Amino acid sequence: MSFYSSEDIKNELLEPSVHNSNSTSGRSEFRIKGDILPSLKLLNTGAFGQAGTTTLDFIGVLGNIKHITLFDGRQELTAVRNFNDVMGFKNINKDNHSNSDIDRFLKRHSVGYQSRDANFTNNYGRKDMVKNTITKSFSATDDDKSAQALYFDLRECFKMLQSVPILSDKVFSQLRLVIEYENQNQKYQVATNVVSTHRRPLLAIDRVMNPVIATNLINSISAVSWVEEEHDRINVPATTNNAVASTQKTSKRVLGFNNKYVGRLRIRKGYQDTSKNVNANAVVEPGAYQSILAKGEVIQLVVNGRALFPRAGLEGNNRRLAHLVDTHGEMNLTPDANHIFHTDFNPSALDANKTGKMDYFGTTLGAEIRELQLEYTRELQIDTTDPGHYNQALTLLITAEVSKVLQVGNGSYRISYSSNPV
């Protein structure tokens, strides 16, 4: 702690130089000068408005940010596009302790669960789970004392900030952080017919006051590597419910990662028609962040002409979940997240609407991509519900970790894609 108490480092709060809270084109911008540590923290972001709505369980107050980018002038240094979707996955990609005791208070989400004894007569003496509670109602004004404001360390989403030792205007002369807000309110509030406004955020920085320390940190930068998440998507067409069960196979090329080294990759399966996430002006959780379970689902990836999985591909709900955990780490999910159980299973203490809607796919490619093809197979069922699990048109959002490198020298720098793993 002497590093912070020796007066070599000074904590500051920055106001945005630009803040537009418009619900359809809102953005905030911070201009950063001097020598600062990469420990940037975002404060007081989120939404406020009429008390008739709440934040979503799955994403909390992170939901109103669509994109967030660090620029040097017009040069993009690093970016998180589809920020709310990325952070929705990262919320569940943690252990139950972290979500229950830390993150739900900082990000105001309801991810994380507690175990309790169920009713003995109706549930055969089994234990069931109850989700963690949190105050989620919107405040009426942008009050800096509101419990609904966010505290978020940007190093959690910007991997570059985990690698670079300092951000200095001697290297990045026009450093600015730009936040673009979500224009679909179903991605950050439950009641879609309630008017809300984006809060005016603050940025907490650690300024390096000692020029010797700053110079040493700047001189230590020569080549810095990190992984950055990028996205592509493919569409799976709907089929007609003609009272005949059948199999549908969709095979498409994925072009967004060509000539990039891809490490881990994941897929989320959502409805093409996003209005199906809402019922009577209320989002059916987890809403736009769901990954819908299909019956008899098989996923195959053909990487540079070679199939990644044996036979037709990776199949089976629990195999898919096990492979996701093996490649991405612990997942904070309920037992019915990737299953639709018999009615004997009682999910009432959780949320029956979320059953079978957290079925992510994840793997590792570990290759520089010249050609990538995704093959998605599902069994179509007689299904009279709308929206249903089996026959709907889907969008598969594909998120991949690509390698990038920053090279500094001769008074300039260069950022490029790397052909090597980080």
Side-chain angles (χ1 to χ4, degrees), residues 7-270:
E7 298 186 356
D8 291 330
I9 305 296
K10 178 183 177 183
N11 307 117
E12 293 183 15
L13 281 179
L14 300 184
E15 291 273 357
S17 57
V18 175
H19 177 66
N20 177 3
S21 60
N22 188 289
S23 60
T24 57
S25 59
R27 68 193 294 270
S28 294
E29 179 176 327
F30 295 90
R31 297 187 181 274
I32 305 170
K33 297 291 185 181
D35 304 312
I36 65 169
L37 296 179
S39 52
L40 305 179
K41 300 175 183 67
L42 196 61
L43 311 177
N44 197 51
T45 191
F48 68 95
Q50 299 177 23
T53 192
T54 62
T55 56
L56 301 177
D57 286 350
F58 190 65
I59 189 66
V61 291
L62 291 172
N64 76 319
I65 300 177
K66 186 175 185 178
H67 308 306
I68 184 166
T69 310
L70 195 62
F71 287 99
D72 178 21
R74 295 184 178 181
Q75 170 67 49
E76 179 184 300
L77 301 178
T78 185
V80 182
R81 294 177 175 82
N82 301 318
F83 172 88
N84 41 20
D85 203 281
V86 167
M87 293 310 303
F89 178 81
K90 289 184 182 297
N91 284 347
I92 60 172
N93 192 203
K94 293 187 175 183
D95 60 58
N96 192 62
H97 164 71
S98 295
N99 278 325
S100 297
D101 297 341
I102 303 172
D103 272 15
R104 72 181 173 114
F105 298 105
L106 300 179
K107 301 173 184 173
R108 313 304 296 177
H109 62 55
S110 295
V111 180
Y113 309 93
Q114 301 174 30
S115 178
R116 71 175 184 183
D117 290 318
N119 178 279
F120 187 87
T121 302
N122 297 329
N123 292 288
Y124 309 102
R126 298 175 299 197
K127 287 185 176 293
D128 66 6
M129 301 168 70
V130 291
K131 66 183 181 182
N132 289 322
T133 58
I134 199 75
T135 301
K136 302 191 300 175
S137 297
F138 279 23
S139 58
T141 61
D142 188 2
D143 182 0
D144 59 5
K145 298 179 182 179
S146 171
Q148 282 300 88
L150 170 77
Y151 172 93
F152 181 66
D153 190 329
L154 289 172
R155 288 173 294 185
E156 186 175 341
C157 67
F158 284 133
K159 300 300 182 183
M160 177 187 177
L161 298 183
Q162 298 180 19
S163 301
V164 69
I166 192 171
L167 298 171
S168 173
D169 56 8
K170 298 177 183 64
V171 180
F172 312 112
S173 59
Q174 300 180 60
L175 193 64
R176 57 195 181 98
L177 179 73
V178 176
I179 301 169
E180 298 173 59
Y181 294 114
E182 181 59 64
N183 56 11
Q184 299 181 56
N185 65 3
Q186 66 165 271
K187 299 193 79 170
Y188 59 88
Q189 65 186 54
V190 172
T192 58
N193 61 337
V194 170
V195 176
S196 61
T197 305
H198 303 297
R199 292 181 182 277
R200 184 181 181 88
L202 299 171
L203 184 67
I205 64 171
D206 296 323
R207 186 176 301 281
V208 181
M209 305 303 294
N210 188 322
V212 175
I213 293 177
T215 300
N216 289 337
L217 290 173
I218 294 169
N219 291 339
S220 69
I221 306 173
S222 57
V224 176
S225 301
W226 69 93
V227 295
E228 194 156 299
E229 293 191 333
E230 296 188 358
H231 311 278
D232 203 345
R233 62 189 69 212
I234 67 171
N235 289 330
V236 176
T239 60
T240 304
N241 182 8
N242 57 4
V244 177
S246 60
T247 299
Q248 178 195 45
K249 182 175 181 178
T250 301
S251 180
K252 293 189 177 182
R253 287 186 178 181
V254 181
L255 303 177
F257 313 120
N258 284 357
N259 303 313
K260 302 171 185 177
Y261 185 93
V262 173
R264 298 189 299 184
L265 176 146
R266 67 177 182 269
I267 299 174
R268 182 181 65 77
K269 303 159 288 180

Side-chain angles (χ1 to χ4, degrees), residues 267 269 297-301 309 312-315 320 359-361 374-377 396:
I267 299 174
K269 303 159 288 180
E297 184 175 282
V298 182
I299 294 179
Q300 179 66 277
L301 290 164
F309 300 107
L314 186 64
E315 58 183 323
R320 193 161 52 249
D359 183 53
Y360 286 85
F361 167 85
L374 171 62
E375 298 174 355
Y376 177 79
T377 305
L396 308 189

